[in-house]
Amino acid sequence: MKKVLKTIGWLLLIALVAIQFFHPKKNIHEGDQPNAISKKYSVSADVKLILNKACMDCHSNNTRYPWYNNIQPVAWWLNNHILDGKKELNFDEYIDKRPRFQYRRMEQTIDLVKKEEMPLDSYTWIHKDAILSEEEKTKLFNWAQSIMDTLKAQYPIDSLKRQGPPPPQK
Ligand code: HEC
């Protein structure tokens, strides 16, 4: 029995060493982002700061990686959050999306930050500055609302909002 446990221990150690050689591709795409949200809507310095510290690591084309991204399997775990986050909302690939998408994501931004579902808890455990103050939240909500207002002025409301009963909540 002891021998079996020892073998398993060694195998785990070897596996842990081996996976250190495999790293997911980093989310770094420097240079101009032609479809960034700021290319159409104004983003004040205050709002930019809030987005940068609390949202952009998972919702943009450039992530600031922490040192522990060098350790596996942590890098895989972080990468999954980034890929999932970017798939739903990418502030660097925004203005090329349909008006309805743009409208909905701003509505959700207000909703999810209010409910403290965004930024993710696993993020704010480490990035304490991503815990937004009431003042910062208000700034973010006013900004999101101003984008919704701009869209409402440009497109008829039924092209922005789904008609009929709301979709079931996840
Ligand atoms: C640590 C990564 C991370 C951070 C930081 C983060 N998000 Fe997210 N976000 C995700 C992931 C993953 C998803 C997709 C899965 C989900 O809905 O939970 C997501 C989804 C979303 C969605 C779409 C929800 C939907 O149902 O489609 C919105 C809107 C959003 N985030 C807004 C924000 C805002 C605003 C911030 C900053 C205040 C933020 N997120 C910070 C990871 C993150």
Side-chain angles (χ1 to χ4, degrees):
M1 189 60 194
K2 242 188 177 163
K3 210 172 161 194
V4 173
L5 283 179
K6 218 172 159 185
T7 312
I8 292 174
W10 274 109
L11 286 176
L12 280 178
L13 190 68
I14 291 166
L16 202 64
V17 171
I19 62 174
Q20 301 311 316
F21 294 98
F22 298 90
H23 282 267
K25 199 171 173 298
K26 282 190 175 171
N27 178 39
I28 296 179
H29 307 83
E30 280 162 351
D32 188 42
Q33 310 291 336
N35 292 313
I37 195 160
S38 59
K39 292 281 158 92
K40 176 174 173 195
Y41 307 101
S42 77
V43 182
S44 70
D46 279 356
V47 170
K48 195 168 176 212
L49 207 74
I50 295 169
L51 293 176
N52 279 346
K53 67 178 183 171
C55 316
M56 294 303 240
D57 280 342
C58 304
H59 293 295
S60 81
N61 283 340
N62 283 290
T63 301
R64 298 159 305 168
Y65 284 91
W67 62 267
Y68 45 82
N69 187 62
N70 294 317
I71 303 168
Q72 283 288 39
V74 180
W76 279 327
W77 183 73
L78 293 181
N79 190 51
N80 277 342
H81 279 165
I82 295 164
L83 292 183
D84 284 353
K86 264 182 80 172
K87 200 169 62 193
E88 295 293 335
L89 167 66
N90 183 345
F91 287 113
D92 286 334
E93 310 281 350
Y94 201 80
I95 62 172
D96 55 331
K97 299 286 188 295
R98 290 192 306 162
R100 178 183 295 217
F101 175 96
Q102 298 184 32
Y103 189 89
R104 179 74 186 129
R105 288 299 178 270
M106 284 302 126
E107 215 172 38
Q108 287 175 320
T109 287
I110 298 176
D111 188 44
L112 296 178
V113 173
K114 259 190 197 150
K115 288 194 209 144
E116 302 195 347
E117 287 176 25
M118 285 292 147
L120 294 182
D121 283 345
S122 58
Y123 188 78
T124 51
W125 289 338
I126 296 155
H127 300 84
K128 293 291 172 206
D129 60 340
I131 302 173
L132 301 179
S133 68
E134 287 310 311
E135 198 192 336
E136 287 171 323
K137 284 183 192 171
T138 306
K139 279 183 186 155
L140 183 66
F141 298 161
N142 287 342
W143 172 74
Q145 187 61 54
S146 76
I147 292 179
M148 289 162 68
D149 292 344
T150 307
L151 284 161
K152 271 196 275 191
Q154 283 180 334
Y155 303 96
I157 189 70
D158 49 329
S159 70
L160 299 175
K161 272 181 177 270
R162 203 189 295 268
Q163 296 300 295
Q169 294 292 313
K170 292 198 259 194

